[in-house]
């Protein structure tokens, strides 16, 4: 096994280990700062790596990507702000936990789940890199659309109590995703002649607005009613994590790790989608689905395992085919180019040692951020939850403005965030579903592109989705999930009717 | 190890060049020069611009900093660069072919001629016709025959409508009276993957995209008047006797309108020196490319010619909506 040789050589190189350690810390910090995503940090640090040897440079950025995905969960749990898009699903249960004073517990669950997910993905990558690449190659636009379709339906289970309002929220998300340039013809849609809108609405300011500003507005409204966010009491009982508490999370973590790894293999889907799919699937299969969204530890474990599991397998299509599975992947391609390493099927012949050393650094990086996160994040969590609301919310309010601006350095994004903030507040007030809105916004863009590419391939014939076996398989999975869901809804409705009678 | 040597040779070459270059005398920048690059980090244009920035060490007395401002197919960054204070501290480096075509197709507020002064060209990206390795098409003639036998049956990929690969491909089809359905993908990597995965019959992508994929792809022809210096085994379309429109994308430095002519000439001379360094040549070669310097006036003439040549295709595309 080459990976053991690579591990041994990496462990014997203190400078390299230093870079990996630094990356684990930098990634966690930037991931935890709302708006400053891991991909933005990598883009900023990219010039620094030009002067490094290829392996430390790649390992540094690769591990930042991993620990950044994890770091996003810290902000999601503490501030209801997804530090990265990938952690937007984590906040659905993470933030309610924090409000119950269990932030430390939630963060420990997030850490363990991220580490397990990341490890699963990395091992799958190391074992099956060539095989993953072959699969990725077979997936054209029709298959990708079928996967999006299945994802839409599986995620539908987070839509909440009112199906009509949930669907309306999702439809609104699709509508907002339409703004900007048409993905195929590059003509403008819903831009109303505004130049800024030709670029579409970006995800980061939209999310910050909907989740953070919306929450701040809701808090302003409730001012005076609830003064104390954290009830007094024994910290250890609320923030320690026992095996009995984590055990129910294990099946979710295992399932989510594989969901995340699979989505990572598919080019272009990315960790945000993996996290939402894992959350939806977890909730659907959970023994306690009613607790999800109100502070279930499983609801933190599932998306966190999935979003980190994406990291490893997404390297397979990246390294062998040059298809980035994520923004971070796109930047890593640049790093390979800058260092004169030609990405492609021959990479494993020409730079085999380098690639396996990189994977080894990935494994070591996971252990490092896991240990730092487990002890460090809990400490930060205890500290933050002691800050009174009237101090915390103004700080969050200001931070969200900085975060929206820094993501692209564009003032227009700040306006988007403020508008989204009012929208998020209104949606909550009128019982619409902000999560469904954001998820369908994330999915709609890619789904539309894949759908229309498929139709161009087939002369506008819909049969292309049925005649290609992999596409058909995913369409059937989606339809089966839909049938199961309709049946359980009907049963619930019947049960309610019986009670009424 | 290799890199270190490049840097060493690059620096020493640069030192000699500085000693010999009198052109810089009149222009002495004091603050770092920010070059706005309107695409995201890690792309093809980004790689070339960063190669230039790395080679500028020693030639320019201040650092050349690449600032990525992606969005709206490169227009977001261009708009910002055009509005920057014309003091020589802010310039733009971009894929000028894409910039020109996008500004023609979308009638944007900024365009290469009215909003900027052209400093110089440092490199070039050229489209090529590629097919999957298992494709029955061994030559461009096979491809043309298949398209004629069954008009509209072939599928071809490019990296976005209105981009120079799309316009190059569509011009080739139009000039040879062929019909084929285009399928746009986002960027060069996904386009190449669509060809390798045989989702499409052929594609127009940069010839550099084929480097490292010799067993998966076959390059049938280069859409340029002369052969590629790196892949000189690939014939050109005119060599094979096919009509085409030379659409390529020069990598060009632009300065906002109103920049002091002395600054422009100084920068033009500095860029010339940068493209002549061994380090720049080596960095370019790693990307399957070679330096290609053109003065500001030559670059402008080239872009104007491209504007005239591509106008019919752009008009046809605009009508389709």
């Amino acid at each position: 096994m080459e990976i053991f040789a690579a591990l041994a050589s990496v462990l014997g190189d203190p400078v390299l280990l230093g870079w990996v350690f630094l990356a684990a810390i930098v990634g966690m910090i930037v991931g935890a700062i709302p708006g400053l995503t891991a991909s933005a940090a990598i883009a900023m640090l990219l010039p620094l790596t030009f002067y490094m040897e290829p392996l430390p440079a790649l390992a540094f950025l690769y591990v930042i990507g991993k620990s950044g995905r994890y770091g996003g969960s810290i902000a999601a749990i503490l501030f209801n702000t997804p530090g990265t898009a990938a952690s937007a699903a984590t906040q659905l249960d993470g933030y309610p936990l924090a409000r119950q004073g269990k932030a430390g517990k939630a963060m420990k669950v997030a850490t363990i789940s991220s580490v397990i997910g990341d490890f699963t993905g990395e091992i799958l990558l190391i074992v099956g890199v060539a095989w993953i690449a072959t699969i990725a190659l077979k997936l054209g636009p029709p298959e990708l659309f079928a996967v999006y379709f299945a994802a839409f339906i599986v995620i539908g289970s987070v839509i909440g109590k009112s199906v009509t309002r949930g669907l309306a929220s999702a439809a609104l998300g699709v509508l907002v995703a339409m703004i900007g340039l048409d993905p195929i013809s590059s003509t403008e849609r819903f831009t109303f002649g505004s130049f800024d809108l030709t670029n579409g609405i970006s995800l980061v300011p939209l999310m910050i607005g909907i989740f953070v500003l919306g929450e701040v507005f809701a808090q302003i409204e409730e001012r005076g009613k609830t003064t104390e966010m954290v009830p007094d009491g024994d910290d250890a009982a609320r923030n320690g994590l026992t095996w009995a508490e984590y055990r129910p999370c294990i099946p979710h973590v295992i399932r989510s790790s594989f969901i995340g790894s699979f989505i990572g293999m598919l080019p272009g889907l990315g960790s945000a989608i993996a996290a939402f799919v894992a959350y939806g699937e977890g909730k659907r299969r959970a023994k306690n689905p009613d607790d999800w969204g109100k502070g279930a530890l499983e609801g933190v474990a599932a998306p966190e395992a999935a979003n980190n599991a994406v990291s490893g397998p997404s390297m397979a299509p990246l390294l062998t085919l040059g298809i980035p599975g994520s923004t971070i992947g796109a930047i890593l391609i640049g790093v390979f180019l800058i260092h004169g390493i030609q990405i492609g099927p021959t990479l494993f012949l020409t730079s085999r040692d380098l690639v396996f050393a990189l994977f080894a650094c990935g494994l070591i990086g996971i252990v490092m951020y896991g240990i730092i996160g487990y002890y460090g994040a809990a400490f930060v969590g205890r500290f933050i939850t002691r800050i009174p609301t009237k101090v915390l919310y103004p700080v969050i309010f200001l931070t969200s403005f900085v975060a929206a601006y820094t993501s692209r350095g564009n003032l227009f994004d700040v306006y988007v965030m403020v508008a989204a903030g009012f929208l998020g507040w209104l949606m909550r007030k009128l019982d619409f579903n902000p999560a469904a809105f954001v998820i369908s916004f994330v999915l709609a863009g890619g789904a539309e592109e894949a759908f229309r590419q498929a139709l161009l391939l087939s002369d506008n014939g819909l049969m292309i989705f049925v005649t290609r076996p992999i596409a058909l398989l995913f369409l059937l999975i989606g339809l089966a999930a839909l049938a199961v869901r309709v049946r359980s809804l009907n049963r619930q409705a019947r049960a309610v009717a019986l009670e009424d009678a | 190890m290799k890199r270190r040597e490049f840097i060493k040779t690059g620096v020493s070459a640069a030192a000699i060049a500085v000693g010999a270059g009198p052109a810089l005398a009149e222009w002495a920048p004091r603050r770092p020069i920010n070059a706005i690059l309107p695409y995201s980090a890690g792309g093809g244009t980004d790689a070339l611009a960063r190669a230039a920035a790395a080679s500028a060490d020693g030639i320019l007395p201040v650092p050349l900093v690449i600032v990525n401002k992606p969005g709206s197919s490169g227009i977001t960054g261009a708009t910002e660069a055009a509005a920057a204070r014309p003091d020589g501290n802010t310039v733009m480096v971009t894929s000028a072919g894409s910039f020109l075509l996008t500004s023609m197709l979308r009638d944007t507020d900024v365009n290469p001629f009215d909003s900027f002064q052209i400093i110089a060209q440092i490199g070039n990206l050229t489209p090529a016709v590629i097919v999957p390795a298992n494709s029955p098409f061994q030559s461009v003639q096979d491809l043309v025959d298949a398209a004629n036998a069954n008009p509209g049956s072939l599928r071809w990929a490019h990296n976005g409508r209105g981009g120079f690969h799309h316009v190059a491909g569509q011009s080739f089809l139009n000039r040879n009276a062929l019909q084929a359905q285009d399928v746009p993908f986002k960027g060069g990597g996904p386009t190449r993957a669509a060809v390798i995965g045989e989702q499409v019959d052929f594609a127009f992508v940069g010839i550099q995209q084929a480097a490292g994929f010799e067993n998966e792809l076959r390059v049938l022809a280069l859409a340029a008047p002369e052969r590629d210096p790196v892949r000189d085994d690939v014939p050109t379309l005119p060599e094979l006797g096919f009509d085409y429109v030379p659409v390529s994308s020069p990598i060009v430095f632009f300065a906002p309108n109103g920049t002091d002519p002395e600054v422009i000439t100084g920068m033009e001379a500095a860029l010339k020196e940068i493209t002549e360094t061994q380090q720049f040549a080596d960095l370019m070669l790693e990307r399957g490319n070679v330096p290609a310097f053109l003065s500001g006036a030559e670059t402008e003439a080239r872009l104007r010619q491209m504007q005239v040549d591509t106008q019919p295709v752009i008009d046809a595309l605009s009508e389709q909506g």
Side-chain angles (χ1 to χ4, degrees), chain A residues 43 46-47 49-54 136-143 181 183-188 195 198-199 319-324 327 330-331 333-335 337-347 405 408-410 445 449 452-459 468, chain B residues 1-4 7 41-44 46-47 50-51 53-54 57 66 68-73 75-76 79-80 105-106 109 152-153 155 158 160-162 181-186 189-190 192-193 196-200 208-209 211-216 283 286-288 321:
Chain A
L46 186 62
T49 61
F50 296 161
Y51 301 98
M52 294 160 67
E53 293 287 325
L137 200 52
K138 292 219 170 71
L139 299 170
E143 284 80 14
L181 294 181
I184 300 296
S185 70
S186 298
T187 42
E188 297 181 11
F195 168 72
T198 57
N199 210 16
L319 295 177
T320 53
L321 304 168
I323 322 170
T327 328
I331 298 170
I333 289 187
V335 181
L337 287 174
I338 296 280
H339 288 282
I341 303 163
Q342 190 66 56
I343 284 183
T346 47
L347 180 71
Y405 180 75
R408 277 193 316 169
N410 191 335
E449 194 184 342
R452 293 183 52 193
Q453 283 171 340
L455 288 186
L456 284 175
L457 287 173
S458 69
D459 273 327
R468 308 212 347 179
Chain B
M1 322 301 131
K2 234 168 86 189
R3 235 189 101 70
R4 289 248 166 95
I7 293 172
D46 182 65
R50 288 189 189 280
D57 214 10
I66 305 291
N68 299 93
K69 290 271 178 185
S72 196
S73 320
I75 300 299
T76 304
T79 308
E80 185 173 328
L105 190 65
R106 279 178 34 208
D109 290 341
S153 65
R155 299 281 172 271
H158 55 78
R161 287 222 178 127
Q181 176 64 54
D182 71 315
V183 185
F185 287 81
K186 273 216 174 90
R192 174 177 59 199
I196 300 175
E198 300 181 15
Q199 309 289 344
V200 291
Q208 292 80 18
Q209 294 280 351
F213 289 85
E214 284 76 11
N215 294 327
E216 286 74 24
L283 287 172
E286 285 174 2
R287 291 159 188 74

Side-chain angles (χ1 to χ4, degrees), chain A residues 104-123:
Chain A
K105 199 194 288 273
M107 280 192 285
K108 281 180 179 162
V109 171
T111 313
I112 299 173
S113 311
S114 293
V115 167
I116 297 176
D118 222 332
F119 244 101
T120 314
E122 194 78 12
I123 301 275

